[in-house]
Amino acid sequence: MSLVITDAEVKRNELVLSRVEELGGGYVWEPEVFAVSLLDVAVGDANAKPLAELVGVGQIAIDATDIEFGTLIEIAAVPGLRSLVIKDGSVAEEGLSKLEAMYPALDVQTV
């Protein structure tokens, strides 16, 4: 079932996704699939935080090498987010466990 979003939310999504492309990332935004990937792009907090404003996204994959844990928490809190894929060996197991405990419906994976 697709989420119905407002015109304002569509415009905000488009702005965030445009920035994702400028950074070298990509996305799929179809009626049944909405996924964003910055997995192969090292981004900092300033470029990662807008992902938390997306509406209707089901999966976010991100290289968290230069991202603070607080920003990952903001991204994990996106309503309806089902999967968060994190590329970064420095996110400690304790941090992953904390994300999973805070958002039990969220599938947190590392690559």
mmCIF file of all heavy atoms in Angstrom, residues 53-103:
data_model
loop_
_atom_site.group_PDB
_atom_site.id
_atom_site.type_symbol
_atom_site.label_atom_id
_atom_site.label_comp_id
_atom_site.label_asym_id
_atom_site.label_seq_id
_atom_site.Cartn_x
_atom_site.Cartn_y
_atom_site.Cartn_z
ATOM 1 N N GLU A 53 14.068 14.336 6.793
ATOM 2 C CA GLU A 53 12.872 15.082 6.407
ATOM 3 C C GLU A 53 12.081 14.391 5.301
ATOM 4 O O GLU A 53 11.015 14.872 4.920
ATOM 5 C CB GLU A 53 13.272 16.491 5.976
ATOM 6 C CG GLU A 53 13.946 17.283 7.081
ATOM 7 C CD GLU A 53 14.448 18.632 6.613
ATOM 8 O OE1 GLU A 53 13.898 19.171 5.629
ATOM 9 O OE2 GLU A 53 15.400 19.137 7.218
ATOM 10 N N LEU A 54 12.599 13.290 4.786
ATOM 11 C CA LEU A 54 11.892 12.576 3.725
ATOM 12 C C LEU A 54 10.590 11.980 4.252
ATOM 13 O O LEU A 54 10.508 11.543 5.394
ATOM 14 C CB LEU A 54 12.766 11.467 3.139
ATOM 15 C CG LEU A 54 13.961 11.929 2.316
ATOM 16 C CD1 LEU A 54 14.875 10.750 2.006
ATOM 17 C CD2 LEU A 54 13.496 12.599 1.021
ATOM 18 N N VAL A 55 9.595 11.955 3.387
ATOM 19 C CA VAL A 55 8.302 11.377 3.731
ATOM 20 C C VAL A 55 8.047 10.201 2.798
ATOM 21 O O VAL A 55 8.170 10.328 1.580
ATOM 22 C CB VAL A 55 7.174 12.419 3.576
ATOM 23 C CG1 VAL A 55 5.817 11.797 3.829
ATOM 24 C CG2 VAL A 55 7.411 13.597 4.506
ATOM 25 N N GLY A 56 7.743 9.053 3.394
ATOM 26 C CA GLY A 56 7.398 7.884 2.598
ATOM 27 C C GLY A 56 8.553 6.981 2.228
ATOM 28 O O GLY A 56 8.354 5.969 1.564
ATOM 29 N N VAL A 57 9.764 7.311 2.638
ATOM 30 C CA VAL A 57 10.932 6.505 2.282
ATOM 31 C C VAL A 57 10.924 5.209 3.095
ATOM 32 O O VAL A 57 10.656 5.217 4.293
ATOM 33 C CB VAL A 57 12.252 7.296 2.462
ATOM 34 C CG1 VAL A 57 12.516 7.636 3.909
ATOM 35 C CG2 VAL A 57 13.420 6.566 1.840
ATOM 36 N N GLY A 58 11.201 4.093 2.431
ATOM 37 C CA GLY A 58 11.213 2.800 3.090
ATOM 38 C C GLY A 58 12.601 2.335 3.475
ATOM 39 O O GLY A 58 12.781 1.606 4.444
ATOM 40 N N GLN A 59 13.615 2.745 2.689
ATOM 41 C CA GLN A 59 14.985 2.330 2.982
ATOM 42 C C GLN A 59 15.943 3.480 2.735
ATOM 43 O O GLN A 59 15.826 4.191 1.735
ATOM 44 C CB GLN A 59 15.419 1.152 2.122
ATOM 45 C CG GLN A 59 16.855 0.710 2.428
ATOM 46 C CD GLN A 59 17.333 -0.428 1.554
ATOM 47 O OE1 GLN A 59 17.442 -0.278 0.354
ATOM 48 N NE2 GLN A 59 17.590 -1.564 2.177
ATOM 49 N N ILE A 60 16.884 3.626 3.647
ATOM 50 C CA ILE A 60 17.995 4.559 3.481
ATOM 51 C C ILE A 60 19.269 3.770 3.697
ATOM 52 O O ILE A 60 19.418 3.068 4.697
ATOM 53 C CB ILE A 60 17.908 5.742 4.469
ATOM 54 C CG1 ILE A 60 16.657 6.583 4.193
ATOM 55 C CG2 ILE A 60 19.177 6.597 4.393
ATOM 56 C CD1 ILE A 60 16.411 7.704 5.181
ATOM 57 N N ALA A 61 20.174 3.881 2.738
ATOM 58 C CA ALA A 61 21.490 3.249 2.838
ATOM 59 C C ALA A 61 22.514 4.368 2.815
ATOM 60 O O ALA A 61 22.498 5.215 1.913
ATOM 61 C CB ALA A 61 21.706 2.279 1.679
ATOM 62 N N ILE A 62 23.406 4.380 3.809
ATOM 63 C CA ILE A 62 24.292 5.532 3.949
ATOM 64 C C ILE A 62 25.666 5.134 4.475
ATOM 65 O O ILE A 62 25.790 4.236 5.306
ATOM 66 C CB ILE A 62 23.635 6.583 4.883
ATOM 67 C CG1 ILE A 62 24.378 7.908 4.841
ATOM 68 C CG2 ILE A 62 23.465 6.055 6.295
ATOM 69 C CD1 ILE A 62 23.566 9.073 5.343
ATOM 70 N N ASP A 63 26.679 5.806 3.968
ATOM 71 C CA ASP A 63 28.044 5.676 4.491
ATOM 72 C C ASP A 63 28.127 6.614 5.687
ATOM 73 O O ASP A 63 28.070 7.832 5.538
ATOM 74 C CB ASP A 63 29.061 6.071 3.422
ATOM 75 C CG ASP A 63 30.504 5.952 3.881
ATOM 76 O OD1 ASP A 63 30.756 5.997 5.104
ATOM 77 O OD2 ASP A 63 31.390 5.823 3.023
ATOM 78 N N ALA A 64 28.244 6.059 6.862
ATOM 79 C CA ALA A 64 28.202 6.849 8.088
ATOM 80 C C ALA A 64 29.588 7.191 8.635
ATOM 81 O O ALA A 64 29.709 7.610 9.785
ATOM 82 C CB ALA A 64 27.392 6.102 9.145
ATOM 83 N N THR A 65 30.614 7.060 7.813
ATOM 84 C CA THR A 65 31.976 7.306 8.259
ATOM 85 C C THR A 65 32.128 8.674 8.921
ATOM 86 O O THR A 65 32.771 8.796 9.962
ATOM 87 C CB THR A 65 32.959 7.201 7.077
ATOM 88 O OG1 THR A 65 32.827 5.907 6.492
ATOM 89 C CG2 THR A 65 34.394 7.418 7.519
ATOM 90 N N ASP A 66 31.525 9.707 8.336
ATOM 91 C CA ASP A 66 31.678 11.076 8.841
ATOM 92 C C ASP A 66 30.401 11.618 9.466
ATOM 93 O O ASP A 66 30.188 12.833 9.511
ATOM 94 C CB ASP A 66 32.126 11.992 7.701
ATOM 95 C CG ASP A 66 33.481 11.593 7.143
ATOM 96 O OD1 ASP A 66 34.344 11.170 7.935
ATOM 97 O OD2 ASP A 66 33.674 11.691 5.917
ATOM 98 N N ILE A 67 29.545 10.712 9.938
ATOM 99 C CA ILE A 67 28.254 11.117 10.504
ATOM 100 C C ILE A 67 28.235 10.787 11.994
ATOM 101 O O ILE A 67 28.599 9.687 12.403
ATOM 102 C CB ILE A 67 27.099 10.393 9.784
ATOM 103 C CG1 ILE A 67 27.067 10.804 8.307
ATOM 104 C CG2 ILE A 67 25.770 10.711 10.453
ATOM 105 C CD1 ILE A 67 26.059 10.043 7.495
ATOM 106 N N GLU A 68 27.788 11.747 12.789
ATOM 107 C CA GLU A 68 27.671 11.513 14.225
ATOM 108 C C GLU A 68 26.492 10.586 14.502
ATOM 109 O O GLU A 68 25.521 10.549 13.750
ATOM 110 C CB GLU A 68 27.476 12.839 14.960
ATOM 111 C CG GLU A 68 28.706 13.725 14.899
ATOM 112 C CD GLU A 68 28.529 15.013 15.679
ATOM 113 O OE1 GLU A 68 27.586 15.103 16.497
ATOM 114 O OE2 GLU A 68 29.338 15.924 15.467
ATOM 115 N N PHE A 69 26.570 9.865 15.605
ATOM 116 C CA PHE A 69 25.528 8.909 15.959
ATOM 117 C C PHE A 69 24.169 9.592 16.115
ATOM 118 O O PHE A 69 23.134 9.037 15.746
ATOM 119 C CB PHE A 69 25.906 8.147 17.234
ATOM 120 C CG PHE A 69 24.984 7.013 17.524
ATOM 121 C CD1 PHE A 69 24.967 5.878 16.734
ATOM 122 C CD2 PHE A 69 24.111 7.094 18.593
ATOM 123 C CE1 PHE A 69 24.101 4.829 16.991
ATOM 124 C CE2 PHE A 69 23.237 6.050 18.861
ATOM 125 C CZ PHE A 69 23.233 4.918 18.062
ATOM 126 N N GLY A 70 24.147 10.816 16.621
ATOM 127 C CA GLY A 70 22.889 11.555 16.773
ATOM 128 C C GLY A 70 22.175 11.761 15.450
ATOM 129 O O GLY A 70 20.937 11.730 15.388
ATOM 130 N N THR A 71 22.938 11.962 14.387
ATOM 131 C CA THR A 71 22.337 12.117 13.058
ATOM 132 C C THR A 71 21.735 10.796 12.603
ATOM 133 O O THR A 71 20.653 10.778 12.002
ATOM 134 C CB THR A 71 23.378 12.628 12.048
ATOM 135 O OG1 THR A 71 23.841 13.914 12.493
ATOM 136 C CG2 THR A 71 22.793 12.768 10.653
ATOM 137 N N LEU A 72 22.399 9.685 12.888
ATOM 138 C CA LEU A 72 21.828 8.377 12.547
ATOM 139 C C LEU A 72 20.514 8.155 13.286
ATOM 140 O O LEU A 72 19.563 7.597 12.723
ATOM 141 C CB LEU A 72 22.804 7.252 12.878
ATOM 142 C CG LEU A 72 24.003 7.104 11.956
ATOM 143 C CD1 LEU A 72 24.895 5.963 12.439
ATOM 144 C CD2 LEU A 72 23.573 6.860 10.519
ATOM 145 N N ILE A 73 20.449 8.600 14.529
ATOM 146 C CA ILE A 73 19.205 8.478 15.292
ATOM 147 C C ILE A 73 18.097 9.288 14.627
ATOM 148 O O ILE A 73 16.960 8.820 14.504
ATOM 149 C CB ILE A 73 19.415 8.901 16.761
ATOM 150 C CG1 ILE A 73 20.283 7.861 17.475
ATOM 151 C CG2 ILE A 73 18.084 9.079 17.485
ATOM 152 C CD1 ILE A 73 20.691 8.237 18.883
ATOM 153 N N GLU A 74 18.408 10.508 14.163
ATOM 154 C CA GLU A 74 17.408 11.326 13.473
ATOM 155 C C GLU A 74 16.907 10.626 12.215
ATOM 156 O O GLU A 74 15.717 10.625 11.924
ATOM 157 C CB GLU A 74 17.993 12.685 13.107
ATOM 158 C CG GLU A 74 18.227 13.600 14.282
ATOM 159 C CD GLU A 74 18.808 14.943 13.852
ATOM 160 O OE1 GLU A 74 18.392 15.478 12.801
ATOM 161 O OE2 GLU A 74 19.689 15.454 14.569
ATOM 162 N N ILE A 75 17.823 10.049 11.461
ATOM 163 C CA ILE A 75 17.447 9.355 10.224
ATOM 164 C C ILE A 75 16.613 8.122 10.553
ATOM 165 O O ILE A 75 15.596 7.855 9.906
ATOM 166 C CB ILE A 75 18.697 8.998 9.403
ATOM 167 C CG1 ILE A 75 19.367 10.283 8.885
ATOM 168 C CG2 ILE A 75 18.348 8.062 8.244
ATOM 169 C CD1 ILE A 75 20.742 10.079 8.289
ATOM 170 N N ALA A 76 17.011 7.377 11.577
ATOM 171 C CA ALA A 76 16.282 6.163 11.960
ATOM 172 C C ALA A 76 14.855 6.478 12.400
ATOM 173 O O ALA A 76 13.971 5.624 12.309
ATOM 174 C CB ALA A 76 17.024 5.437 13.071
ATOM 175 N N ALA A 77 14.611 7.710 12.852
ATOM 176 C CA ALA A 77 13.293 8.107 13.348
ATOM 177 C C ALA A 77 12.314 8.481 12.241
ATOM 178 O O ALA A 77 11.157 8.798 12.525
ATOM 179 C CB ALA A 77 13.442 9.276 14.317
ATOM 180 N N VAL A 78 12.718 8.420 10.982
ATOM 181 C CA VAL A 78 11.812 8.773 9.882
ATOM 182 C C VAL A 78 10.578 7.868 9.957
ATOM 183 O O VAL A 78 10.716 6.636 9.950
ATOM 184 C CB VAL A 78 12.508 8.613 8.511
ATOM 185 C CG1 VAL A 78 11.510 8.734 7.375
ATOM 186 C CG2 VAL A 78 13.613 9.644 8.362
ATOM 187 N N PRO A 79 9.390 8.449 10.052
ATOM 188 C CA PRO A 79 8.184 7.629 10.134
ATOM 189 C C PRO A 79 8.054 6.694 8.921
ATOM 190 O O PRO A 79 8.213 7.121 7.786
ATOM 191 C CB PRO A 79 7.047 8.661 10.141
ATOM 192 C CG PRO A 79 7.685 9.907 10.653
ATOM 193 C CD PRO A 79 9.101 9.876 10.125
ATOM 194 N N GLY A 80 7.807 5.433 9.192
ATOM 195 C CA GLY A 80 7.613 4.460 8.125
ATOM 196 C C GLY A 80 8.884 3.848 7.572
ATOM 197 O O GLY A 80 8.820 2.934 6.748
ATOM 198 N N LEU A 81 10.046 4.340 7.993
ATOM 199 C CA LEU A 81 11.310 3.766 7.520
ATOM 200 C C LEU A 81 11.386 2.316 7.988
ATOM 201 O O LEU A 81 11.201 2.024 9.161
ATOM 202 C CB LEU A 81 12.500 4.560 8.055
ATOM 203 C CG LEU A 81 13.879 4.159 7.525
ATOM 204 C CD1 LEU A 81 13.991 4.462 6.026
ATOM 205 C CD2 LEU A 81 14.979 4.875 8.289
ATOM 206 N N ARG A 82 11.624 1.414 7.049
ATOM 207 C CA ARG A 82 11.674 -0.010 7.384
ATOM 208 C C ARG A 82 13.092 -0.560 7.436
ATOM 209 O O ARG A 82 13.344 -1.566 8.078
ATOM 210 C CB ARG A 82 10.845 -0.810 6.380
ATOM 211 C CG ARG A 82 9.355 -0.493 6.454
ATOM 212 C CD ARG A 82 8.539 -1.310 5.470
ATOM 213 N NE ARG A 82 8.999 -1.233 4.096
ATOM 214 C CZ ARG A 82 8.685 -0.275 3.223
ATOM 215 N NH1 ARG A 82 7.920 0.721 3.601
ATOM 216 N NH2 ARG A 82 9.135 -0.288 1.992
ATOM 217 N N SER A 83 14.023 0.076 6.710
ATOM 218 C CA SER A 83 15.370 -0.471 6.619
ATOM 219 C C SER A 83 16.401 0.657 6.597
ATOM 220 O O SER A 83 16.274 1.604 5.823
ATOM 221 C CB SER A 83 15.496 -1.313 5.340
ATOM 222 O OG SER A 83 16.804 -1.761 5.152
ATOM 223 N N LEU A 84 17.407 0.521 7.458
ATOM 224 C CA LEU A 84 18.527 1.448 7.492
ATOM 225 C C LEU A 84 19.795 0.630 7.319
ATOM 226 O O LEU A 84 20.105 -0.232 8.138
ATOM 227 C CB LEU A 84 18.563 2.212 8.823
ATOM 228 C CG LEU A 84 19.717 3.191 9.018
ATOM 229 C CD1 LEU A 84 19.693 4.288 7.949
ATOM 230 C CD2 LEU A 84 19.658 3.802 10.420
ATOM 231 N N VAL A 85 20.492 0.870 6.219
ATOM 232 C CA VAL A 85 21.729 0.161 5.919
ATOM 233 C C VAL A 85 22.873 1.135 6.164
ATOM 234 O O VAL A 85 22.892 2.228 5.596
ATOM 235 C CB VAL A 85 21.739 -0.345 4.457
ATOM 236 C CG1 VAL A 85 23.046 -1.059 4.160
ATOM 237 C CG2 VAL A 85 20.549 -1.246 4.189
ATOM 238 N N ILE A 86 23.803 0.730 7.016
ATOM 239 C CA ILE A 86 24.893 1.601 7.424
ATOM 240 C C ILE A 86 26.220 1.003 6.986
ATOM 241 O O ILE A 86 26.532 -0.131 7.332
ATOM 242 C CB ILE A 86 24.905 1.794 8.954
ATOM 243 C CG1 ILE A 86 23.570 2.375 9.425
ATOM 244 C CG2 ILE A 86 26.066 2.679 9.371
ATOM 245 C CD1 ILE A 86 23.386 2.336 10.925
ATOM 246 N N LYS A 87 26.978 1.798 6.254
ATOM 247 C CA LYS A 87 28.331 1.400 5.871
ATOM 248 C C LYS A 87 29.294 2.194 6.735
ATOM 249 O O LYS A 87 29.427 3.394 6.586
ATOM 250 C CB LYS A 87 28.587 1.699 4.397
ATOM 251 C CG LYS A 87 30.002 1.403 3.944
ATOM 252 C CD LYS A 87 30.158 1.791 2.492
ATOM 253 C CE LYS A 87 31.585 1.676 2.022
ATOM 254 N NZ LYS A 87 31.720 2.141 0.634
ATOM 255 N N ASP A 88 29.900 1.537 7.685
ATOM 256 C CA ASP A 88 30.893 2.185 8.538
ATOM 257 C C ASP A 88 31.278 1.240 9.654
ATOM 258 O O ASP A 88 30.458 0.899 10.492
ATOM 259 C CB ASP A 88 30.361 3.476 9.140
ATOM 260 C CG ASP A 88 31.380 4.149 10.057
ATOM 261 O OD1 ASP A 88 32.569 3.807 9.981
ATOM 262 O OD2 ASP A 88 30.978 5.011 10.834
ATOM 263 N N GLY A 89 32.515 0.842 9.660
ATOM 264 C CA GLY A 89 33.000 -0.039 10.700
ATOM 265 C C GLY A 89 33.117 0.625 12.053
ATOM 266 O O GLY A 89 33.277 -0.036 13.061
ATOM 267 N N SER A 90 33.017 1.965 12.111
ATOM 268 C CA SER A 90 33.198 2.645 13.386
ATOM 269 C C SER A 90 31.907 2.753 14.192
ATOM 270 O O SER A 90 31.942 3.186 15.336
ATOM 271 C CB SER A 90 33.794 4.041 13.175
ATOM 272 O OG SER A 90 32.860 4.904 12.595
ATOM 273 N N VAL A 91 30.770 2.381 13.601
ATOM 274 C CA VAL A 91 29.536 2.370 14.383
ATOM 275 C C VAL A 91 29.598 1.110 15.238
ATOM 276 O O VAL A 91 29.479 -0.005 14.747
ATOM 277 C CB VAL A 91 28.270 2.359 13.493
ATOM 278 C CG1 VAL A 91 27.019 2.272 14.350
ATOM 279 C CG2 VAL A 91 28.219 3.601 12.619
ATOM 280 N N ALA A 92 29.830 1.307 16.506
ATOM 281 C CA ALA A 92 30.037 0.187 17.420
ATOM 282 C C ALA A 92 28.782 -0.669 17.531
ATOM 283 O O ALA A 92 27.663 -0.192 17.312
ATOM 284 C CB ALA A 92 30.430 0.722 18.792
ATOM 285 N N GLU A 93 29.004 -1.905 17.882
ATOM 286 C CA GLU A 93 27.892 -2.837 18.084
ATOM 287 C C GLU A 93 26.893 -2.278 19.095
ATOM 288 O O GLU A 93 25.691 -2.430 18.952
ATOM 289 C CB GLU A 93 28.425 -4.194 18.556
ATOM 290 C CG GLU A 93 27.400 -5.289 18.528
ATOM 291 C CD GLU A 93 26.914 -5.634 17.128
ATOM 292 O OE1 GLU A 93 27.718 -5.599 16.188
ATOM 293 O OE2 GLU A 93 25.709 -5.918 16.987
ATOM 294 N N GLU A 94 27.419 -1.584 20.103
ATOM 295 C CA GLU A 94 26.550 -0.959 21.105
ATOM 296 C C GLU A 94 25.621 0.071 20.459
ATOM 297 O O GLU A 94 24.453 0.170 20.789
ATOM 298 C CB GLU A 94 27.414 -0.286 22.173
ATOM 299 C CG GLU A 94 26.632 0.414 23.253
ATOM 300 C CD GLU A 94 27.546 1.077 24.271
ATOM 301 O OE1 GLU A 94 28.548 0.455 24.667
ATOM 302 O OE2 GLU A 94 27.247 2.213 24.647
ATOM 303 N N GLY A 95 26.153 0.837 19.508
ATOM 304 C CA GLY A 95 25.344 1.826 18.808
ATOM 305 C C GLY A 95 24.266 1.178 17.965
ATOM 306 O O GLY A 95 23.124 1.640 17.928
ATOM 307 N N LEU A 96 24.625 0.103 17.285
ATOM 308 C CA LEU A 96 23.639 -0.622 16.482
ATOM 309 C C LEU A 96 22.550 -1.203 17.371
ATOM 310 O O LEU A 96 21.360 -1.128 17.042
ATOM 311 C CB LEU A 96 24.318 -1.725 15.676
ATOM 312 C CG LEU A 96 25.319 -1.261 14.623
ATOM 313 C CD1 LEU A 96 26.006 -2.455 13.984
ATOM 314 C CD2 LEU A 96 24.653 -0.397 13.576
ATOM 315 N N SER A 97 22.941 -1.748 18.499
ATOM 316 C CA SER A 97 21.967 -2.303 19.440
ATOM 317 C C SER A 97 21.035 -1.212 19.955
ATOM 318 O O SER A 97 19.834 -1.431 20.121
ATOM 319 C CB SER A 97 22.674 -2.976 20.609
ATOM 320 O OG SER A 97 23.407 -4.083 20.161
ATOM 321 N N LYS A 98 21.595 -0.039 20.193
ATOM 322 C CA LYS A 98 20.778 1.084 20.668
ATOM 323 C C LYS A 98 19.748 1.484 19.609
ATOM 324 O O LYS A 98 18.578 1.698 19.929
ATOM 325 C CB LYS A 98 21.676 2.274 21.014
ATOM 326 C CG LYS A 98 20.930 3.444 21.594
ATOM 327 C CD LYS A 98 21.878 4.553 22.026
ATOM 328 C CE LYS A 98 21.107 5.717 22.613
ATOM 329 N NZ LYS A 98 21.981 6.799 23.045
ATOM 330 N N LEU A 99 20.169 1.572 18.353
ATOM 331 C CA LEU A 99 19.227 1.895 17.276
ATOM 332 C C LEU A 99 18.125 0.849 17.194
ATOM 333 O O LEU A 99 16.948 1.183 17.057
ATOM 334 C CB LEU A 99 19.953 1.971 15.927
ATOM 335 C CG LEU A 99 20.684 3.255 15.600
ATOM 336 C CD1 LEU A 99 21.446 3.098 14.283
ATOM 337 C CD2 LEU A 99 19.733 4.430 15.526
ATOM 338 N N GLU A 100 18.506 -0.416 17.260
ATOM 339 C CA GLU A 100 17.522 -1.491 17.173
ATOM 340 C C GLU A 100 16.546 -1.457 18.351
ATOM 341 O O GLU A 100 15.363 -1.727 18.189
ATOM 342 C CB GLU A 100 18.224 -2.840 17.082
ATOM 343 C CG GLU A 100 18.932 -3.023 15.748
ATOM 344 C CD GLU A 100 19.873 -4.212 15.704
ATOM 345 O OE1 GLU A 100 20.261 -4.726 16.782
ATOM 346 O OE2 GLU A 100 20.220 -4.621 14.592
ATOM 347 N N ALA A 101 17.040 -1.107 19.536
ATOM 348 C CA ALA A 101 16.173 -1.026 20.712
ATOM 349 C C ALA A 101 15.220 0.164 20.615
ATOM 350 O O ALA A 101 14.057 0.074 21.011
ATOM 351 C CB ALA A 101 17.017 -0.920 21.986
ATOM 352 N N MET A 102 15.708 1.283 20.081
ATOM 353 C CA MET A 102 14.879 2.480 19.961
ATOM 354 C C MET A 102 13.809 2.325 18.889
ATOM 355 O O MET A 102 12.719 2.865 19.014
ATOM 356 C CB MET A 102 15.757 3.691 19.631
ATOM 357 C CG MET A 102 16.673 4.111 20.747
ATOM 358 S SD MET A 102 17.822 5.420 20.251
ATOM 359 C CE MET A 102 16.715 6.815 20.114
ATOM 360 N N TYR A 103 14.154 1.596 17.818
ATOM 361 C CA TYR A 103 13.246 1.443 16.673
ATOM 362 C C TYR A 103 13.122 -0.038 16.334
ATOM 363 O O TYR A 103 13.697 -0.508 15.352
ATOM 364 C CB TYR A 103 13.772 2.241 15.475
ATOM 365 C CG TYR A 103 14.022 3.684 15.835
ATOM 366 C CD1 TYR A 103 15.303 4.146 16.116
ATOM 367 C CD2 TYR A 103 12.956 4.569 15.953
ATOM 368 C CE1 TYR A 103 15.529 5.455 16.483
ATOM 369 C CE2 TYR A 103 13.171 5.885 16.322
ATOM 370 C CZ TYR A 103 14.461 6.326 16.583
ATOM 371 O OH TYR A 103 14.674 7.624 16.953
#
